[in-house]
């Protein structure tokens, strides 16, 4: 489901993965672009079970990897890694390090030369036979000292400039990190960020009934798009995201899971508390009076269905998510605009 943390790939391992990935892409007629390579590299590497399972299923079914399918796979599994941006930042960092290293080497050469000159001065002082000889040695020592000072001053200024460049790179990397974990339409966490966070919580071994999930889907969303257009549909999605922000706090995490489907993770929350949060979200959407911004015409009642599930001892995150999804399906089948609780562990009234 989520990609576990892995150790850094060595150059030797990277070369071997490259050797295995390219023929596989060629075999299935997948163009070798950075985005496609990111997907198939992860498949060969095997660290993303969800990606590996889906790609293997497509291969076994003899599916043709069209440009559209390749793009969908990238957006679903590898969009957290902006290949072009990553290469740009990596190259900038490499150039910066080489530049600084070159400056340090230059100063190191100057330092060794200065040290050699000092040794020569010491030797000549011992052999000098007149004050004039010592005066000449002192003069050359003063010149070399001034030269060394200028060299170290230039290094200081150079390193100061490079320090500012490093700060800018750090800011750029932080922006890229946020972009990679955010849904561009809503600003909420994206699917990858959510699944990774869920996996971390599951690994911590939460006590039973202390980690809850809400799986949320906008009812009849296709009708909204068909009737009002995709721009209005996007506005409805952003409005639901706003509602989720208003009803989550602290370590809670709301994410857009895909399309009109959202998910909320509620740590330290049992089934009863999760149902309360779910009902507030449902009611907020049902009570909203959304209108078109262009002609002020009402959009009609926009509702959501919600599935609720809580973790079980030693449960795989995928199973918890699947149970929340099954509860959502139950809410849809029961008439929509309501919540359904998984496992029948507690009776929670549905509100239409």
């Amino acid at each position: 489901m989520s990609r576990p943390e892995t150790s850094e790939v060595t150059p030797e391992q990277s070369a071997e993965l490259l050797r295995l990935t390219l023929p596989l892409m060629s075999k299935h007629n997948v163009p070798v672009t950075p985005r496609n390579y990111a997907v198939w590299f992860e498949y060969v590497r095997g660290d993303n079970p969800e990606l590996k399972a889906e790609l293997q299923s497509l291969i076994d079914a003899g599916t043709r990897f069209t440009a559209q399918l390749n793009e969908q796979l990238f957006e679903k599994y590898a969009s957290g890694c902006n290949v072009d941006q990553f290469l740009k930042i990596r190259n900038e960092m490499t150039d910066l390090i080489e530049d600084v290293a070159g400056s340090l080497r230059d100063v190191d050469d100057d330092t060794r030369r200065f040290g050699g000159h000092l040794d020569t001065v010491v030797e000549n002082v011992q052999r000098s036979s007149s004050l004039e000889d010592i005066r000449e040695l002192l003069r050359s020592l003063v010149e070399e000292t001034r030269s060394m000072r200028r060299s170290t001053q230039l290094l200081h200024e150079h390193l100061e400039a490079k320090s500012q460049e490093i700060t800018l790179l750090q800011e750029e990397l932080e922006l890229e990190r946020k972009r990679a974990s955010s849904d561009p339409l809503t600003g909420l966490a994206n699917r990858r960020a959510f699944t990774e966070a869920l996996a971390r919580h599951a690994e911590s071994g939460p006590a039973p009934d202390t980690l809850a999930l809400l799986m949320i889907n906008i009812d009849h969303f296709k009708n909204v798009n068909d009737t009002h257009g995709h721009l209005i549909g996007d506005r409805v999605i952003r409005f639901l995201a706003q509602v989720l922000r208003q009803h989550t706090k602290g370590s809670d995490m709301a994410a857009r899971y895909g399309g009109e489907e959202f998910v909320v993770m509620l740590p330290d929350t049992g089934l009863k508390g999760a149902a309360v949060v779910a009902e507030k979200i449902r009611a907020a959407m049902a009570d909203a009076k959304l209108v078109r911004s262009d002609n002020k015409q009402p959009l009609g009642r926009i509702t959501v269905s919600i599935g609720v599930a809580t973790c079980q001892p030693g449960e795989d995150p995928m199973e918890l998510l699947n149970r929340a999804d099954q509860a959502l399906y139950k809410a849809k089948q029961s008439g929509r605009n309501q919540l359904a609780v998984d496992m029948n562990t507690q009776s929670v009234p549905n509100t239409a």
Side-chain angles (χ1 to χ4, degrees), residues 186-203:
T186 65
L188 296 179
N190 60 18
R191 177 173 179 153
R192 167 170 286 201
F194 169 78
T195 53
E196 290 179 351
L198 178 60
R200 287 194 298 271
H201 276 283
E203 288 170 3

Side-chain angles (χ1 to χ4, degrees), residues 169-281:
L169 275 177
Q170 288 174 328
E171 293 174 354
E172 191 173 353
L173 282 169
E174 179 61 18
L175 287 174
E176 176 60 18
R177 184 194 67 79
K178 290 180 179 179
R179 188 210 66 80
S181 62
S182 300
D183 172 62
L185 179 61
T186 65
L188 296 179
N190 60 18
R191 177 173 179 153
R192 167 170 286 201
F194 169 78
T195 53
E196 290 179 351
L198 178 60
R200 287 194 298 271
H201 276 283
E203 288 170 3
S204 67
D209 200 37
T210 59
L211 174 62
L213 287 189
L214 311 181
M215 186 68 79
I216 306 163
N217 188 276
I218 302 174
D219 297 327
H220 303 297
F221 185 70
K222 184 177 184 300
N223 291 344
V224 175
N225 278 335
D226 291 345
T227 303
H228 301 285
H230 289 279
L231 291 179
I232 298 299
D234 286 349
R235 183 179 168 217
V236 171
I237 285 176
R238 285 195 295 269
F239 180 77
L240 175 53
Q242 180 182 337
V243 170
L244 296 182
R245 287 192 186 93
Q246 292 170 349
H247 291 89
T248 52
K249 60 183 180 180
S251 59
D252 299 344
M253 184 180 193
R256 186 182 180 199
Y257 201 65
E260 70 272 24
E261 194 162 72
F262 291 75
V263 65
V264 175
M265 180 171 60
L266 302 171
D268 304 316
T269 304
L271 193 62
K272 184 177 180 180
V276 170
V277 174
E279 172 55 23
K280 289 180 178 179
I281 293 169

Side-chain angles (χ1 to χ4, degrees), residues 56-71:
Q56 189 61 54
S57 176
L58 292 170
I59 291 172
D60 293 343
T63 305
R64 189 169 71 89
F65 288 91
T66 63
Q68 181 180 7
L69 177 57
N70 291 331
E71 185 64 20

Side-chain angles (χ1 to χ4, degrees), residues 32-79:
V32 183
T33 66
R35 295 164 80 90
N36 291 344
Y37 181 76
V39 173
W40 286 81
F41 178 90
E42 287 297 322
Y43 168 74
V44 172
R45 190 178 184 187
D47 286 335
N48 189 328
E50 193 176 13
L51 165 62
K52 191 170 183 66
E54 179 166 349
L55 209 51
Q56 189 61 54
S57 176
L58 292 170
I59 291 172
D60 293 343
T63 305
R64 189 169 71 89
F65 288 91
T66 63
Q68 181 180 7
L69 177 57
N70 291 331
E71 185 64 20
Q72 289 173 350
L73 290 169
F74 176 81
E75 290 297 331
K76 186 173 181 180
Y77 294 110
S79 60

